[in-house]
Amino acid sequence: MAEVIWGLATSHVPSIGAAMDRGKTEDPAWQALFDGYAPARAWLAEHRPDVAVLVYNDHANGIDLDFIPTFGLGTAERYEVADEGYGRRPVPDVLGHPELSFHLVESLVDEGFDLTVFQELAVDHGFTVPLSVWTPDPGDAWPCPVIPLLVNVIQYPQPTAARCYALGQALGRAIRSFPGDLTVGVLGTGGMSHQLAGTRAGFINPDFDAMWMEAVEKDPARLAALSREELIRQAGSEGIELIMWLVMRGALDEQVTKVHSDYFVPASNTAAGIALFDNRAPEA
Amino acid sequence: MSTPTGAGRLDLPGTPIFDGDTSRRGFRMNKLFMSLRDAAARERFLADEAAYCREFRLSAEQEQAVLARDWQAMIDLGGSIFYVYKLAMMDGRSMQYLGGVFTGMGEDDFLAAMRAGGRRDG
Ligand SMILES: [Fe+2]
C-alpha cells in the first residue's frame, strides 16, 4: 500500500525561481523569503518520498487556450522543462511514474473525476519553482519521480474550491489503494493573495492569507465552502489559484502535524506562503 | 452582477475576469503572444509587427493596441495577463511595470507599494 507521508503548499511565483537561478537568494529583497524556507527544506531532505504528486497550473507554456482541461494528470515517463521564452531554467527535467499515474487516472475516473490525460507535457515555473522550493540544489536529478496534476485556474470558471478538496480526498484514496509499497509526497502550489491586472493590481490581503494558512491545517472544509466570487474578491483574481492547496490538503488525513509555515510579501506582486504538513500518524 | 455578457459573470471593481467571452474575444491575440516564446517568432514580429498581427488575424483595435503597447487596451480586448506578459517580457518589461500601468501609479510607486506590503481595497 502506498502512503502519503507529507503535504507541502507553496507559492510558485517565477521570480522565486529566477532569484535562485541568478544567485540572488541573499539579496535584501529575497533573503527573508529563503530564510523562511530553510526549516521546511531541512525536514524534507530527511523525508524523501518514493514519488511526489505536484498540483499546479500552466501559464501559457505547456498548453495554450485551444484546450482548457479543468483537471489533468500526466502519465509520461519524463516531463521536459519548458522554455518560457528566454531559455529553460537550469534545472533537471522531471522523471514521471507512469505506473502510479495510470493507477491514479483509473481510480479517479472510477470516482467520477474525468481527468484529461497528458501523455506529453512541458512543465513551466508553476511546476519547477515548487520543486526548487523543496530542493534548492537538485544536481542532475530531482529527489524522486514527480507526477503533474493540472488545474485550470487561468480561465473562468475555475473548478470550485469544494471540487478541488473532493479531488484531493479522492487522490488520497487512490494513492492508498496503489498495490505496492510507496511513500508519496503531495504538493499544492500557487497563491497566496495577489492580482496582476486591473486598477486593483498589487492587491494583497494578509488577513485572508492568515485565515487561509490556519484553516488549511485545521479546518479545510471551511475553505472548501468559499465561492469562486468570494475567492477572487478576497484573494485577488490570481489568488484564486489557492484552490490548488485544497487538492493537496484533501489527500492528507483529517489530522496533520504542521512542520513549518511562513509568509512573505512581496515575491514580485504576490504574497508568498509555504506550509509543510507531516501526514504520518503521530507516535504514541 | 447584472451585465449583458452572460450568466454568472462577475463584476468586481478594478478586477478583469478572464472568462469565456473575454477569451473568445482575445483568442487570436493571445495566440500571437504565446508564439513569442520562440526566438525566431520574436525576430519576425519585430521585423514587421503589423504584418505579424495580420498573420494572426487580430482585429484592427487589437493590432493598434499591440503596436502602441497599450497594455490596458490589450487586457480590455481579451488579453490574458499571462499571455500579454509574453509581449511585455520581450520588451524587457516586468510585472511591476505592468502593475504601474494598470494602476496608473507608475512602476516606481507600484514597486514601493508592493515592498510596503502590497495594496489594499478601499
Ligand atoms: Fe499560477
Side-chain angles (χ1 to χ4, degrees), chain A residues 60-61 63-66 84-86 155-156 195-196 198-204 206 232-233 266 268-269, chain B residues 8 10 12 14-16 18 23 27 31 34 37 42 82-83 86 90 95-96 102-103 110 114 119-121:
Chain A
N61 295 303
I63 54 178
D64 68 8
L65 295 170
D66 286 0
E84 304 186 21
Y86 297 87
Q155 182 167 323
Y156 187 97
Q195 176 160 327
L196 299 176
T199 54
R200 198 182 180 227
F203 175 70
I204 298 286
I232 294 173
R233 189 189 303 281
S268 297
N269 301 1
Chain B
L10 299 186
L12 301 176
T15 302
F18 190 71
S23 185
F27 191 69
K31 285 228 173 225
M34 177 127 174
R37 286 176 313 155
R42 291 197 293 274
F82 297 105
Y83 287 72
K86 302 276 187 206
M90 194 203 70
M95 204 56 104
Q96 290 73 45
F102 297 140
T103 56
F110 184 83
M114 292 316 300
R119 301 176 67 232
R120 306 278 184 274
D121 276 340

Side-chain angles (χ1 to χ4, degrees), chain A:
Chain A
M1 299 305 97
E3 180 201 2
V4 179
I5 57 170
W6 53 252
L8 175 67
T10 174
S11 300
H12 63 213
V13 186
S15 59
I16 295 174
M20 294 177 65
D21 299 344
R22 294 173 194 158
K24 290 188 174 165
T25 56
E26 282 163 27
D27 282 13
W30 286 111
Q31 192 175 0
L33 173 101
F34 289 103
D35 286 351
Y37 288 168
R41 286 171 159 175
W43 191 92
L44 287 163
E46 300 288 311
H47 298 84
R48 190 172 65 84
D50 296 316
V51 193
V53 177
L54 195 153
V55 185
Y56 85 112
N57 69 285
D58 179 80
H59 308 77
N61 295 303
I63 54 178
D64 68 8
L65 295 170
D66 286 0
F67 305 97
I68 304 170
T70 298
F71 294 121
L73 194 92
T75 59
E77 272 163 29
R78 189 183 189 92
Y79 304 92
E80 201 181 309
V81 173
D83 178 350
E84 304 186 21
Y86 297 87
R88 50 171 282 169
R89 290 193 60 212
V91 293
D93 281 342
V94 178
L95 295 182
H97 195 296
E99 207 188 340
L100 179 59
S101 285
F102 285 119
H103 170 81
L104 296 180
V105 169
E106 186 173 347
S107 305
L108 290 168
V109 168
D110 284 350
E111 289 221 33
F113 290 91
D114 304 322
L115 302 169
T116 299
V117 173
F118 285 85
Q119 308 217 69
E120 190 171 83
L121 176 68
V123 290
D124 75 358
H125 67 263
F127 196 95
T128 63
V129 167
L131 291 182
S132 294
V133 170
W134 167 8
T135 304
D137 299 303
D140 294 338
W142 297 108
C144 68
V146 190
I147 297 172
L149 197 168
L150 288 109
V151 180
N152 164 43
V153 295
I154 286 187
Q155 182 167 323
Y156 187 97
Q158 296 85 356
T160 62
R163 191 67 175 154
C164 289
Y165 187 51
L167 172 63
Q169 292 173 314
L171 174 68
R173 289 190 291 274
I175 291 170
R176 290 190 291 276
S177 70
F178 182 73
D181 281 329
L182 282 182
T183 53
V184 179
V186 181
L187 296 92
T189 75
M192 297 182 88
S193 60
H194 67 298
Q195 176 160 327
L196 299 176
T199 54
R200 198 182 180 227
F203 175 70
I204 298 286
N205 188 343
D207 295 338
F208 177 83
D209 290 337
M211 181 284 291
W212 184 281
M213 193 63 102
E214 173 91 8
V216 80
E217 177 191 354
K218 297 185 177 134
D219 191 10
R222 174 180 172 197
L223 304 180
L226 292 170
S227 70
R228 208 181 279 120
E229 177 171 1
E230 196 59 24
L231 283 163
I232 294 173
R233 189 189 303 281
Q234 297 234 40
S237 51
E238 278 66 47
I240 190 175
E241 67 181 4
L242 275 167
I243 56 176
M244 295 188 288
W245 288 32
L246 289 176
V247 181
M248 174 280 290
R249 185 60 184 87
L252 308 184
D253 297 341
E254 220 159 284
Q255 299 277 346
V256 292
T257 308
K258 181 155 99 178
V259 177
H260 178 68
S261 68
D262 199 42
Y263 182 70
F264 174 88
V265 179
S268 297
N269 301 1
T270 305
I274 184 171
L276 174 61
F277 303 109
D278 185 346
N279 196 48
R280 299 165 306 163
E283 283 172 36

Side-chain angles (χ1 to χ4, degrees), chain B residues 3-120:
Chain B
T3 71
T5 43
R9 191 182 164 97
L10 299 186
D11 185 12
L12 301 176
T15 302
I17 301 295
F18 190 71
D19 62 6
D21 275 336
T22 312
S23 185
R24 200 157 46 92
R25 207 161 59 237
F27 191 69
R28 290 192 292 268
M29 184 174 60
N30 286 322
K31 285 228 173 225
L32 182 155
F33 295 145
M34 177 127 174
S35 76
L36 299 177
R37 286 176 313 155
D38 178 47
R42 291 197 293 274
E43 223 167 276
R44 272 199 320 113
F45 173 78
L46 288 169
D48 189 343
E49 298 194 4
Y52 198 87
C53 288
R54 286 195 297 275
E55 197 182 301
F56 278 79
R57 292 182 292 133
L58 267 56
S59 71
E61 290 161 292
Q62 288 172 335
E63 180 177 327
Q64 189 44 44
V66 169
L67 297 185
R69 300 297 192 269
D70 185 340
W71 306 101
Q72 184 59 52
M74 290 181 230
I75 297 291
D76 294 342
L77 295 167
S80 152
I81 184 62
F82 297 105
Y83 287 72
V84 170
Y85 186 55
K86 302 276 187 206
L87 178 63
M89 271 202 301
M90 194 203 70
D91 284 355
R93 299 298 196 185
S94 66
M95 204 56 104
Q96 290 73 45
Y97 172 82
L98 292 182
V101 172
F102 297 140
T103 56
M105 297 170 75
E107 182 174 7
D108 290 347
D109 285 355
F110 184 83
L111 189 57
M114 292 316 300
R115 292 213 168 123
R119 301 176 67 232
R120 306 278 184 274

